[in-house]
Structures are given as structure tokens and as C-alpha cells.
Amino acid sequence: MGDISTSTLVIILVVLIFISAYFSSTETGLMALNKYKLKHLVKEGHKGALRVAKLMSRPDRTIGLILIGNNLVNIGASAIATIIGLRLYGDVGVAIATFGLTLVILIFAEVTPKTLAALHPEKVAFPSSILLLFLMKILFPFVLVVNFITNGILALLGVSSEQREEHSLSKEELKTVVNESGGLIRDSHQNMIVNLLDLGKIKAEDIMIPRNEIYALDINDDWKNLLKGLTYANHTRLLLYRDNIDDAVGFIHVRDALRLLAKEDFSKTTLLRAVREIYYTPEGTSLFVLLQKLKQNKERIGLVVDEYGDIQGLFTLEDILEEIVGDFTTGISVDPSSICIKQPDGSYILDGSSSMRDINKEMDWDLPTDGPKTINGLIQEIMADIPEAGTSILIADYPIEILSVKDNKVSLAKIHQKIEPEDTSD
């Protein structure tokens, strides 16, 4: 390069540094792209996304191309910087060129372009892919040689280059993505998506109305009592049974009862003819499966049974939908005092039959829900006995005091604030 002037060499060096910055930023931009957003743009036919997707279909080749180009450029820049240093400062110039070029490449060809690409991967990767695809065609033989050698080394280490990482998200990972979406998804929509993902964890027994709280009518009861029950019912569908709720007959829609009444053809016989078949589901059925079954069978209500076939409770389609979108009955948050009555000392009094899922949801507590579903059931399971009034117990760091016991079950209990464990890290 003795015939080339020093000023020309400086210009060539600057150009090489810019080319090195191009390779560095392109590499980071391609790796930092959101793969799910990229798939979406590919489906929409975005030209830049299509180019990048083509490059990333074989990431080993793309990375090989970038590293070949980057190393060739850096080696060339190093040689030119050495010549410039020798011309300007003699033998000492070699050390000066080495130190100076390292600093320049680090700042202008590595850190700065890579930081920019990490912050704006699409703006860097999409236009850069045009030149990268062109270089791939030119340097393809060299890329193949490099990949052949590297793949051989990986094979010796037991890694196959043909293996492809599955870019699927688990439910928990997807929930994290949704929760971290910030302003991109409204809070109400975030909650609905997260609740929908949790449907597989929630069982039919978690949302059912317990059998002792089911509003049902005994078909063998006096006709006047039946009419009174139908008249004052707060539900559109009522369960009919014979003598015992386990001998359920079916559901009667109040609309059908009114139609019979309007025809003046209303009797127990016509009422029984109008009942609809009962849909049963095991208590361990997940809400996700149950929702699919209800859609398939075109049902809106059903009964939950245990492993012996005994009726344990009643569920409706609305109960399942409320797990996704929240309560339909009100547009505002449910007042926790409707479940728990707050005391001056900060504790809460609640009914022993209260659902722990409802309590956790309203109070933001974390009482265990993987066993019994009510406070009474939880206390009796842990104590392995029916407690007496005045007994205190610690459950999941929540001090619980039994206030009253009636009919062999806890009727009232007082729950104090959770005892936080002391930090013993010091």
C-alpha cells in the first residue's frame, strides 16, 4: 500500500469502521426482534419482515455470514491502522494504532450500533436485510465452508445443527407477557386474558353452588307451594326433584311455566312434561373442558356430581363466564364487607361456609384452595376434628379464631392479618 496516500488510508479505515458497525448492528437487530411480532408482520406481507424471516430460517448461516464479514472488515481495518501508525509515528505507531483502533471499534463499531439496534431492532434489521441477502448470495460458498466446520464441531459435542428451538410459550410465560404489555393492552382486557388462561386450573367444584344452597322445588310438594316457589323464584331455571335432591327430575324454565299458565293447562303433569334433561359433570372437570362441553351440548346449566354420582352442587354458564370477565351483577367492584366484616382491630369476621376462592379474590389473600373449598372445610381438615368455639389455629400464616360452631360445622370465624415471616438474612 506504499502508493496509497495516508489520507486515502484514513478514509478507507473510516469506511471499514462504518461497515463493521453495520454488521454489528445487524446482528443485534436480528437477534433482538420480537419473533411473535415478526410472524405477525410476515402474515401481513411486510417486505422487510419477509426478508428477515428468510434470513432467520437458517440462523447458523446468517450468523456465519455476519461474522465472516465483520471479521474480514476488522482485520482489514487493523492492517490499515497499523500502516498509518507506522507512517506517522514509526515503530511506536503500531502500539498507538492498536490501542486507538480498539477504542474506536469498541465505541463506534460495537457498543453504539449494538445499543441502537437493541433499542430499535425493526428499524435496523429490516433495511439491513436487503444488503445482507445480497451478501449471502456472493459469500454463500464461504458461509457453507464455515458452517460445515462449525456444525462438525457441534456434532462432536452432541449438538445437531438441524435442531430447532420451539418458540412456544407456556401458560405462565404467556401470562407474564400479557401482564408486562403495559399500555398496549387495557387492564380489563389483561385480566380477561389471564383469567381465560387459568380456566384449565379451576374445577367445576370451585364455582358450583353447594347443594344445600340450591334453590329447588320438590315435585311431590303441595301444588300451592310449587306455585308459590315458581312465583317468587329469582332464577330463570329451577331444579325439580322428588323428595330428595339426589332424585333430581330436571330443570324447568320459568318461561315455559308461564306459557303453560297462560294456556290454563298448568298442573304437575304438564310441568313434568316441560322439564329439560339434566346435564351432569364430575366435580373435577376443568372449566375450560366444561365450557367446551356446554357449547357442544348447547347447555347453560347443570349439576356437579362426585365419584359416587351424588349431587354436590349446581353450576351455570354465567358462573364460568364470570371467572373470565368478572361479575355480571354489578359494574363496580364487590365490597369485601359483603363477604368479610372488618373489625376495629383489622381482623375480619366471615361465615364458615364462605368460599376461599371468593375470599382470596376479594381480599387479595392467599389461603390454600387445593383442598377443601370453604373455611369450615379447611379448618376441619387441618384439625382433623370439629373444633369448639374459642379455638384458634394458624393456617398459611393467617391466625384464625373459631367464634361459633353450629350443626357440626364452623359457622363464624375471625381471620387476622397474615403474619409476615421475619427477615433472617442478616
Side-chain angles (χ1 to χ4, degrees):
M1 295 185 181
D3 297 335
I4 303 176
S5 64
T6 302
S7 58
T8 303
L9 290 176
V10 171
I11 293 174
I12 295 174
L13 179 61
V14 172
V15 172
L16 290 176
I17 291 173
F18 272 106
I19 296 175
S20 178
Y22 160 78
F23 283 116
S24 297
S25 60
T26 300
E27 178 186 8
T28 301
L30 290 173
M31 297 301 111
L33 279 173
N34 186 315
K35 53 183 174 290
Y36 301 103
K37 188 173 183 179
L38 178 62
K39 289 181 179 179
H40 173 69
L41 292 175
V42 168
K43 290 180 180 179
E44 291 190 340
H46 189 282
K47 293 183 179 180
L50 290 170
R51 290 193 301 268
V52 171
K54 184 177 180 181
L55 288 168
M56 296 309 294
S57 64
R58 285 301 300 268
D60 55 334
R61 293 179 179 177
T62 303
I63 293 174
L65 172 64
I66 292 173
L67 293 180
I68 288 173
N70 207 8
N71 280 282
L72 287 175
V73 169
N74 288 340
I75 291 172
S78 177
I80 292 176
T82 300
I83 295 173
I84 295 174
L86 284 171
R87 287 185 179 183
L88 297 178
Y89 304 105
D91 292 339
V92 180
V94 176
I96 295 175
T98 301
F99 177 78
L101 183 64
T102 300
L103 186 63
V104 169
I105 288 181
L106 183 65
I107 295 174
F108 296 102
E110 292 291 336
V111 177
T112 301
K114 286 188 174 183
T115 302
L116 176 64
L119 294 174
H120 305 284
E122 294 176 17
K123 293 181 179 180
V124 172
F126 290 164
S128 297
S129 61
I130 300 175
L131 180 57
L132 206 60
L133 282 172
F134 175 72
L135 291 174
M136 180 68 79
K137 294 179 180 179
I138 297 176
L139 300 175
F140 189 69
F142 299 100
V143 174
L144 282 182
V145 172
V146 171
N147 282 156
F148 177 78
I149 297 173
T150 55
N151 290 339
I153 296 174
L154 290 174
L156 293 175
L157 298 175
V159 180
S160 173
S161 62
E162 298 301 322
Q163 292 177 349
R164 293 288 180 266
E165 180 183 359
E166 292 294 332
H167 297 305
S168 58
L169 291 176
S170 66
K171 289 183 180 180
E172 296 304 319
E173 290 170 337
L174 185 54
K175 285 167 63 176
T176 300
V177 171
V178 172
N179 289 328
E180 295 298 325
S181 60
L184 298 177
I185 304 178
R186 292 168 54 184
D187 290 343
S188 58
H189 294 174
Q190 288 183 26
N191 293 334
M192 288 174 61
I193 295 173
V194 171
N195 291 340
L196 185 60
L197 293 172
D198 283 336
L199 279 189
K201 296 180 180 179
I202 306 173
K203 308 300 181 184
E205 60 181 341
D206 295 326
I207 65 160
M208 69 181 185
I209 300 171
R211 60 177 287 157
N212 62 314
E213 297 180 14
I214 297 176
Y215 184 85
L217 301 176
D218 185 359
I219 196 66
N220 290 333
D221 200 357
D222 185 74
W223 180 240
K224 291 183 178 180
N225 291 333
L226 278 175
L227 288 177
K228 184 177 180 182
L230 288 169
T231 303
Y232 293 102
N234 295 321
H235 309 283
T236 56
R237 293 173 176 82
L238 300 177
L239 178 65
L240 299 181
Y241 64 91
R242 289 189 180 91
D243 299 326
N244 188 289
I245 197 171
D246 284 316
D247 188 12
V249 175
F251 288 100
I252 179 69
H253 200 295
V254 174
R255 178 184 57 203
D256 296 333
L258 290 175
R259 185 168 59 248
L260 291 173
L261 183 61
K263 293 181 179 179
E264 297 183 355
D265 184 23
F266 202 23
S267 64
K268 284 188 179 182
T269 302
T270 56
L271 185 62
L272 287 172
R273 288 176 184 169
V275 297
R276 304 183 182 185
E277 187 177 351
I278 300 174
Y279 178 80
Y280 294 96
T281 189
E283 56 188 352
T285 305
S286 72
L287 295 195
F288 181 80
V289 173
L290 183 56
L291 190 60
Q292 300 302 313
K293 293 292 185 181
L294 292 179
K295 178 181 178 182
Q296 179 181 343
N297 292 279
K298 294 180 171 49
E299 297 285 351
R300 300 178 62 88
I301 192 170
L303 296 177
V304 180
V305 296
D306 62 12
E307 59 183 314
Y308 304 106
D310 295 331
I311 295 173
Q312 300 300 306
L314 178 147
F315 71 90
T316 65
L317 178 61
E318 181 181 286
D319 296 327
I320 301 176
L321 296 180
E322 285 185 347
E323 290 294 325
I324 303 174
V325 302
D327 292 336
F328 293 145
T329 53
T330 176
I332 58 176
S333 299
V334 178
D335 185 358
S337 62
S338 62
I339 298 177
C340 306
I341 303 175
K342 188 172 184 179
Q343 303 301 298
D345 60 355
S347 63
Y348 290 86
I349 294 179
L350 49 91
D351 192 285
S353 61
S354 300
S355 166
M356 285 184 294
R357 289 189 68 254
D358 292 339
I359 295 172
N360 286 341
K361 186 184 300 182
E362 302 300 337
M363 302 301 299
D364 196 25
W365 290 349
D366 52 3
L367 290 166
T369 57
D370 53 351
K373 307 305 177 185
T374 64
I375 291 295
N376 168 63
L378 181 63
I379 293 174
Q380 291 192 8
E381 181 186 64
I382 292 178
M383 296 188 68
D385 195 6
I386 300 175
E388 296 181 357
T391 305
S392 296
I393 185 174
L394 185 67
I395 300 178
D397 294 326
Y398 289 93
I400 301 179
E401 180 184 352
I402 290 85
L403 299 181
S404 65
V405 177
K406 185 178 180 182
D407 297 330
N408 296 322
K409 63 181 181 180
V410 176
S411 56
L412 283 179
K414 178 188 286 189
I415 299 184
H416 297 266
Q417 293 293 334
K418 185 176 183 179
I419 301 175
E420 298 296 338
E422 295 182 3
D423 186 2
T424 58
S425 58
D426 296 334

